[in-house]
Amino acid sequence: MSNKPVPHAKLAAEFLKDEPHRHFHDERLWDMRQKRDEQMHIMPEWQELREQASRLKEHTLAHLPQYLEQFEENARRNGIHVHWARDGAEHNRIVEKILRDHGHSSIIKSKSMITDECEMREYLEPKGISVTETDLGERIQQLDNQLPSHVVVPAVQKLTSDVAKTFAKYYNTDPNIDDPHALAEAQRNAARPVLLSGDTGMTGGNFLVAETGSFVVCTNEGNADLSANLPNLHIATLGIERLVPRMADLGVFIRLLSRSALGSPITQYTTHFRKPKKGGEMHVILVDNGRSERLGMDDFWTSLKCIRCGACMNTCPVYRRSGGQSYGSVYSGPIGAIIDPTFNAKKFSTLPFASTMNGSCTNVCPVKIDIHDQLYKWRRVLAERHEIPFVKREIMKMAGRLLAQPTMYRLAISGTEVALKTMPRFVLYNYLNPWGKHRELPHPVKETFHSWYKKNRLNKAKQHEETQA
Amino acid sequence: MKIGLFIPCYIDAFYPKTGIATLELLEKLGQEVEYPMDQTCCGQPMANSGCNRDAKETEALFIRNFSKYDVIVSPSGSCVHHIRDNFDAIEQTDEVRHVRKNTYELVEFIHDVLKVREFPWAEFPHKVGMHNSCATLRALRTASMSELGEPFFSKPKTLLSAVKGISFAAPKRPDECCGFGGTYSVTEEAVSARMGLDKVTDHHDAGAEYIVSADTSCMMHQQGCAERNGVPIRFIHIAEILNGARS
Ligand code: SF4
């Protein structure tokens, strides 16, 4: 992984240049946010559910080892093989070994961000193991060799005409036919033979249930069920934070998940996997990859409550206008900006600054993660670790000194013409040019409030006193 | 009750009219107001950039200027949010706690503390679009938030409703951030300016002649975006309308 800070501002500026894409992206995600609002409005218990979901997750995270062991025990009893992966590399080795043991070499896979997080495709493919995405959005991203743009709708930044071009390249379809149904059909036709011939099925999963040793996968395309059931070997990868204690807890999350994500009452498919099918084999890989370390971070551990609904992304005005690719990570948007730095503080040091800290994300989050407060805290952590640009650090130091000295400050902005030249410089930290690139500067005025006050209140009061005397 | 008036740097240098209107309005409402001459800033720019330590001296100066007042009032929601919720670069002495607890944004001060609902001198015969800054909306909570589905309330709108002749436009995305975000406006200028343009366009399309806000910094940014793109809309601080400005 390259360590260079992701140039979010630059990538976002590029994304904005293309009018059709920028407009479509903003409107599509905003529409999802509005559908979410509609669902919230018809459920009077919405805030209560959020509170319950948050408490359940916090409780589970506080007792994580105990519930994980319970899950493992019950899953084993159900005949599921349970594996533990400390990090992405170990996860990938486990997958490879399972395939080798069976003499398998092709994986059909449904959407799971965590295998992307582990960079599994990059590891397996050079070793001769093919991985085919069966989720339409993930497949499009795979063909274009891009990271997912969004945790729920991975190819959300693409117009149907983009997809038509991609499919034409790989599936020999007509690049000019961009009807969504035709495209979905093209994908089905291309996927079917792969699905039927794939020897290993892989899925992610939304929830692990400790009490039953089962796990739940929520999808809208039904591809997870195909991936899991067509082959005889099913491997599911889940993060260790995906746990809920009891089956009865699940309802709270299922009710919130799709409503928050897409504004639909429930996903088309909610599949419970409890044991391998007859004659088949089932493996669950539980991945840590920095999660237990994050659990120990006072300010950031609650980010592990995330159920990956994407609502924070849909509502984020910055994400909607910068596109998922500009985050340079598997996890983009507000949730990405607070968890990515735990994977690599230098590379993702720019992301907590890719926010106006407006707080809308926190308000929509179904598990009540204080996302925008965590963004604020990350800024402090990164500044203290010197993971912000040197120039910015120096300017802040200067601004801090100047603003602490009233006389110097007054001198610096004396006369509003001067103020106009100087003010933005220290108010906006010497980035005067960026301000004016797409915006006008404020207009100069005759005098500052400070000097008006002196004339019209202080001096008048003095005059008044003198005449009285 | 002695009020210390805090006029942040943007207002001081570019929008003195807003500062004057705030002062005059409070005086009209019978308040004793003083503007400490040595004030500069609340420290927010440094703190929001992560450089909290660099805000320490500025915060100390703020306390020296304002600790002698019973309350501190400012026509800037984002500064008040900083002082109330994040002002922690300096040691939290009794003085500091006093200042943090008693600093109010102008609208909430008039609405919640003075409980004034009438402004007989005010008349504004225009259609206005309300811009609640994210600080006033989601931190100071002066209005209901669309994400939570709570019953509608809006302190600024309650006050403005008493103004003769005023009417309100209904933009499509009333709670959407305008993209200012302090240093964000320059570190991510392209996204920031795009958000600003979308914001002013939304208000303009809804028929607003003016955008009214309790936050000057947001409006400075929005005005810049509107002017650059030829969106014909004007800007006014809520203090000016309540103080009797006609245009
Ligand atoms: S942080 Fe909250 S809103 Fe964002 S994806 Fe996770 S659960 Fe959903």
Side-chain angles (χ1 to χ4, degrees):
Chain A
M1 204 197 293
S2 150
N3 244 349
K4 260 185 47 208
V6 176
H8 179 267
K10 196 173 131 237
L11 296 172
E14 277 158 25
F15 177 77
L16 281 173
K17 277 192 195 131
D18 183 81
E19 188 58 25
H21 280 88
R22 137 191 118 63
H23 182 74
F24 166 80
H25 191 256
D26 174 50
E27 289 290 338
R28 176 161 181 211
L29 291 161
W30 179 250
D31 185 57
M32 284 160 68
R33 155 75 206 275
Q34 283 190 299
K35 294 212 168 89
R36 171 238 172 241
D37 285 6
E38 282 164 26
Q39 289 295 326
M40 166 187 68
H41 285 300
I42 54 177
M43 288 179 52
E45 69 273 39
W46 187 259
Q47 299 308 335
E48 221 175 285
L49 275 177
R50 286 177 74 218
E51 185 56 44
Q52 234 179 314
S54 167
R55 259 193 267 127
L56 277 168
K57 276 283 177 188
E58 285 181 10
H59 165 85
T60 314
L61 289 167
H63 301 87
L64 198 58
Q66 162 200 331
Y67 284 124
L68 280 169
E69 276 170 18
Q70 193 189 354
F71 172 83
E72 183 185 29
E73 203 187 305
N74 289 330
R76 290 228 160 103
R77 200 171 299 140
N78 297 338
I80 301 175
H81 300 266
V82 180
H83 309 260
W84 300 87
R86 201 172 306 118
D87 52 22
E90 190 172 3
H91 166 266
N92 299 341
R93 283 196 301 271
I94 293 170
V95 175
E96 188 192 0
K97 174 144 196 318
I98 299 172
L99 266 88
R100 297 273 184 245
D101 288 349
H102 289 78
H104 288 184
S105 62
S106 68
I107 295 175
I108 51 169
K109 179 184 159 291
S110 73
K111 183 163 64 103
S112 72
M113 294 295 130
I114 192 159
T115 50
D116 287 333
E117 176 191 319
C118 295
E119 302 182 341
M120 183 184 80
R121 247 161 29 204
E122 291 82 339
Y123 173 85
L124 292 180
E125 283 180 338
K127 296 186 177 311
I129 296 174
S130 72
V131 181
T132 308
E133 299 292 341
T134 57
D135 173 88
L136 178 59
E138 275 263 72
R139 180 64 181 161
I140 296 165
Q141 292 305 93
Q142 182 186 21
L143 292 174
D144 285 337
N145 199 16
Q146 286 175 333
L147 289 169
S149 272
H150 187 288
V151 291
V152 175
V153 272
V156 68
Q157 86 286 15
K158 292 196 172 117
L159 299 170
T160 48
S161 56
D162 302 327
V163 179
K165 277 191 212 110
T166 301
F167 280 5
K169 207 155 104 199
Y170 295 98
Y171 297 160
N172 260 324
T173 48
D174 185 339
N176 298 313
I177 296 181
D178 61 1
D179 168 56
H181 297 292
L183 292 171
E185 189 56 29
Q187 158 68 6
R188 261 197 297 276
N189 288 339
R192 215 164 276 144
V194 187
L195 273 172
L196 291 172
S197 69
D199 48 33
T200 306
M202 267 192 91
T203 65
N206 298 74
F207 305 99
L208 298 158
V209 185
E211 169 187 68
T212 52
S214 60
F215 60 98
V216 179
V217 185
C218 305
T219 67
N220 281 306
E221 294 173 21
N223 59 309
D225 302 275
L226 289 177
S227 304
N229 288 314
L230 285 181
N232 273 332
L233 177 60
H234 175 194
I235 306 173
T237 300
L238 293 96
I240 54 171
E241 84 285 15
R242 294 270 153 176
L243 265 178
V244 297
R246 299 162 310 162
M247 206 54 152
D249 304 327
L250 204 56
V252 176
F253 296 97
I254 299 287
R255 294 183 77 196
L256 286 166
L257 179 62
S258 192
R259 288 186 167 95
S260 299
L262 301 165
S264 64
I266 193 164
T267 44
Q268 298 288 333
Y269 302 87
T270 302
T271 312
H272 296 248
F273 293 97
R274 191 165 189 154
K275 57 179 181 200
K277 65 178 181 185
K278 229 185 234 136
E281 213 176 287
M282 187 180 276
H283 295 254
V284 169
I285 309 175
L286 299 170
V287 180
D288 184 328
N289 203 27
R291 285 164 176 75
S292 50
E293 196 187 326
R294 204 184 310 153
L295 193 56
M297 299 166 106
D298 275 350
D299 288 336
F300 306 116
W301 70 275
T302 56
S303 64
L304 288 165
K305 291 193 284 182
C306 177
I307 57 170
R308 306 278 189 265
C309 71
C312 57
M313 310 163 89
N314 304 346
T315 202
C316 178
V318 172
Y319 172 82
R320 263 187 271 117
R321 288 170 183 82
S322 39
Q325 296 299 306
S326 64
Y327 292 78
S329 164
V330 174
Y331 305 108
S332 51
I335 181 62
I338 60 170
I339 64 175
D340 293 337
T342 64
F343 294 114
N344 186 333
K346 185 171 234 52
K347 181 171 183 192
F348 300 116
S349 58
T350 47
L351 299 187
F353 294 90
S355 163
T356 60
M357 295 199 287
N358 59 79
S360 185
C361 46
T362 300
N363 278 351
V364 296
C365 178
V367 288
K368 298 185 95 166
I369 301 173
D370 54 343
I371 307 173
H372 75 297
D373 289 332
Q374 294 194 26
L375 288 167
Y376 185 81
K377 287 174 184 157
W378 267 116
R379 291 182 180 191
R380 277 194 193 181
V381 171
L382 292 166
E384 269 157 31
R385 286 203 215 150
H386 289 192
E387 297 289 8
I388 65 169
F390 176 75
V391 183
K392 189 172 185 179
R393 231 160 58 217
E394 286 304 299
I395 290 166
M396 286 301 154
K397 226 184 263 166
M398 257 171 45
R401 259 186 245 135
L402 185 62
L403 291 168
Q405 298 175 40
T407 338
M408 255 173 71
Y409 168 83
R410 281 294 143 199
L411 226 63
I413 66 156
S414 60
T416 56
E417 286 296 342
V418 185
L420 195 56
K421 289 200 198 90
T422 342
M423 274 287 290
R425 281 184 192 256
F426 73 77
V427 172
L428 308 171
Y429 324 108
N430 232 343
Y431 297 117
L432 185 59
N433 286 337
W435 176 274
K437 227 166 148 185
H438 294 103
R439 242 174 326 217
E440 296 300 313
L441 282 164
H443 307 206
V445 288
K446 281 208 304 291
E447 61 181 349
T448 61
F449 176 81
H450 188 268
S451 73
W452 177 92
Y453 188 83
K454 201 166 168 184
K455 247 190 265 164
N456 291 281
R457 288 293 186 276
L458 297 186
N459 292 351
K460 283 227 174 103
K462 222 188 275 162
Q463 275 169 17
H464 184 72
E465 265 167 41
E466 280 163 15
T467 44
Q468 294 274 303
Chain B
M1 179 166 59
K2 205 163 180 189
I3 300 176
L5 178 63
F6 172 46
I7 299 296
C9 53
Y10 305 98
I11 301 183
D12 178 44
F14 302 124
Y15 301 93
K17 267 166 67 185
T18 299
I20 297 167
T22 305
L23 175 66
E24 289 180 349
L25 176 62
L26 289 170
E27 288 171 345
K28 270 189 194 140
L29 298 176
Q31 301 304 306
E32 190 190 339
V33 188
E34 241 175 56
Y35 168 82
M37 293 298 277
D38 278 351
Q39 61 180 280
T40 59
C41 168
C42 64
Q44 180 180 208
M46 287 77 80
N48 275 2
S49 305
C51 306
N52 202 42
R53 288 197 190 129
D54 296 323
K56 194 171 165 191
E57 297 302 312
T58 307
E59 289 184 358
L61 174 68
F62 190 90
I63 297 299
R64 284 203 294 283
N65 276 310
F66 287 101
S67 60
K68 60 174 172 288
Y69 298 102
D70 302 314
V71 296
I72 297 100
V73 175
S74 178
S76 167
S78 75
C79 301
V80 172
H81 164 49
H82 174 72
I83 295 159
R84 192 176 294 169
D85 302 323
N86 292 323
F87 196 90
D88 63 359
I90 47 167
E91 202 196 316
Q92 302 296 298
T93 60
D94 286 348
E95 260 185 328
V96 174
R97 273 192 291 271
H98 164 79
V99 167
R100 292 185 62 180
K101 204 169 126 229
N102 292 290
T103 298
Y104 293 91
E105 182 271 324
L106 179 68
V107 168
E108 58 174 12
F109 182 69
I110 295 174
H111 187 280
D112 299 347
V113 181
L114 300 181
K115 300 194 186 343
V116 172
R117 294 290 181 274
E118 275 160 34
F119 307 89
W121 50 79
E123 183 175 349
F124 199 71
H126 302 282
K127 192 166 192 172
V128 303
M130 280 288 322
H131 172 68
N132 293 316
S133 71
C134 300
T136 57
L137 185 68
R138 299 197 188 84
L140 304 181
R141 309 231 31 201
T142 60
S144 51
M145 304 181 274
S146 59
E147 300 95 356
L148 296 185
E150 49 192 358
F152 179 84
F153 72 93
S154 165
K155 294 176 188 177
K157 204 167 171 188
T158 301
L159 300 187
L160 284 173
S161 299
V163 174
K164 275 192 279 308
I166 201 165
S167 61
F168 298 93
K172 284 205 191 101
R173 304 183 187 182
D175 286 359
E176 175 108 317
C177 173
C178 74
F180 173 65
T183 45
Y184 182 80
S185 61
V186 281
T187 53
E188 297 224 325
E189 68 80 26
V191 178
S192 168
R194 182 72 236 180
M195 285 165 70
L197 176 56
D198 289 348
K199 183 96 235 174
V200 297
T201 308
D202 191 15
H203 280 272
H204 177 257
D205 290 350
E209 297 162 66
Y210 282 86
I211 289 179
V212 183
S213 180
D215 263 277
T216 299
S217 52
C218 297
M219 289 198 289
M220 173 172 89
H221 155 75
Q222 291 174 23
Q223 183 177 23
C225 298
E227 286 178 2
R228 174 63 58 88
N229 293 282
V231 180
I233 195 159
R234 298 162 77 186
F235 297 84
I236 191 164
H237 193 280
I238 188 168
E240 294 173 54
I241 297 183
L242 295 178
N243 188 44
R246 296 286 191 270
S247 62

